[in-house]
Amino acid sequence: MSNNHYHYLTFGPEAIARQRANGSYVAYGTHLERPDDGPDDLGARELRMIADATQFYLSTVTPAGWPYLQYRSGPAGFVRHLGGNTLRFVDLPGNNQFVTLGNLAADDRLAMFFVDYPRKQRLKVFGRGRVHEGERREIEVAVEAFDWNCSRSIIPRYDQQYLTELGRAYQERAAAREAELTAEIERLRARVTELEQRPS
């Protein structure tokens, strides 16, 4: 049975009513028929997605109650797992509006949206953020819940690194197959020579 904390954080009465009307309540709404399981535990699949990510979208809540969405990027591994349900990433200088930092000071709730375009996977993470000031400013996230979204509407995109790795894999596979075929040809040649040398 899957954890239902994400559903408690996400589904309100209107969403449940629409699920009932459209027949999707059994897949989603029924999770609310038992008590809240509490925060989700990050597993190997989630940690792999996060560790491989070179980008994600970050949403915080403004004092006026509006969602504020920003983009974060860096080399793979720039979002670090500190153990348990704790993540941390460097908050690089931007345009000096400090909206995200201001929002987190007033309301620590945030969402992180990770997308793996080549594999058509996306992961939503809900958490509470805390800003660490120091030699480099970082945002630490205590993960509350997560959900793997439907991949149907993701349009695959391929960056140069992915294409290079894919090309290397194909080259290695082709080289291995060539070696197999060369060995098979040599075996058949040896067999033909053996048959030709037999007395008639």
Side-chain angles (χ1 to χ4, degrees):
M1 182 180 299
S2 62
N3 196 303
N4 66 359
H5 191 51
Y6 171 85
H7 304 87
Y8 268 94
L9 296 181
T10 307
F11 300 154
E14 292 298 324
I16 293 297
R18 285 182 177 270
Q19 289 174 18
R20 288 186 187 279
N22 288 278
S24 59
Y25 177 79
V26 172
Y28 303 112
T30 53
H31 290 282
L32 303 182
E33 294 178 1
R34 69 178 199 272
D36 189 343
D37 294 330
D40 292 339
D41 292 325
L42 291 169
R45 183 184 180 200
E46 292 76 37
L47 293 175
R48 185 167 51 252
M49 174 78 159
I50 292 167
D52 290 344
T54 57
Q55 59 184 326
F56 72 91
Y57 301 93
L58 175 67
S59 180
T60 53
V61 184
T62 70
W66 289 87
Y68 181 74
L69 189 65
Q70 284 197 314
Y71 175 82
R72 293 289 192 272
S73 64
F78 83 103
V79 180
R80 307 184 320 275
H81 178 227
L82 302 185
N85 267 23
T86 305
L87 304 174
R88 188 184 280 202
F89 61 92
V90 174
D91 186 48
L92 297 173
N95 56 16
N96 292 324
Q97 290 183 348
F98 303 111
V99 178
T100 294
L101 301 183
N103 289 345
L104 290 175
D107 185 334
D108 64 357
R109 290 176 299 168
L110 58 75
M112 305 167 79
F113 192 73
F114 296 89
V115 184
D116 182 337
Y117 289 101
R119 296 174 184 84
K120 295 184 64 175
Q121 295 179 342
R122 54 186 180 178
L123 173 68
K124 283 192 294 192
V125 175
F126 289 172
R128 296 188 178 273
R130 188 159 56 112
V131 179
H132 290 265
E133 304 282 3
E135 184 177 331
R136 56 182 193 175
R137 186 173 60 232
E138 297 189 322
I139 296 177
E140 186 170 295
V141 180
V143 174
E144 283 273 329
F146 59 82
D147 183 60
W148 288 91
N149 269 41
C150 172
S151 63
R152 182 173 47 214
S153 62
I154 299 176
I155 299 173
R157 297 176 184 170
Y158 306 98
D159 61 18
Q160 187 60 50
Q161 179 182 348
Y162 180 83
L163 292 174
T164 299
E165 291 173 359
L166 194 63
R168 186 180 302 118
Y170 279 125
Q171 288 172 355
E172 290 173 357
R173 189 180 308 164
R177 183 63 178 147
E178 182 181 1
E180 290 175 6
L181 292 174
T182 299
E184 179 67 9
I185 290 169
E186 291 303 318
R187 187 188 69 79
L188 292 172
R189 281 178 176 162
R191 179 62 177 155
V192 168
T193 300
E194 178 187 333
L195 292 173
E196 288 176 343
Q197 292 175 350
R198 281 185 181 179
S200 55

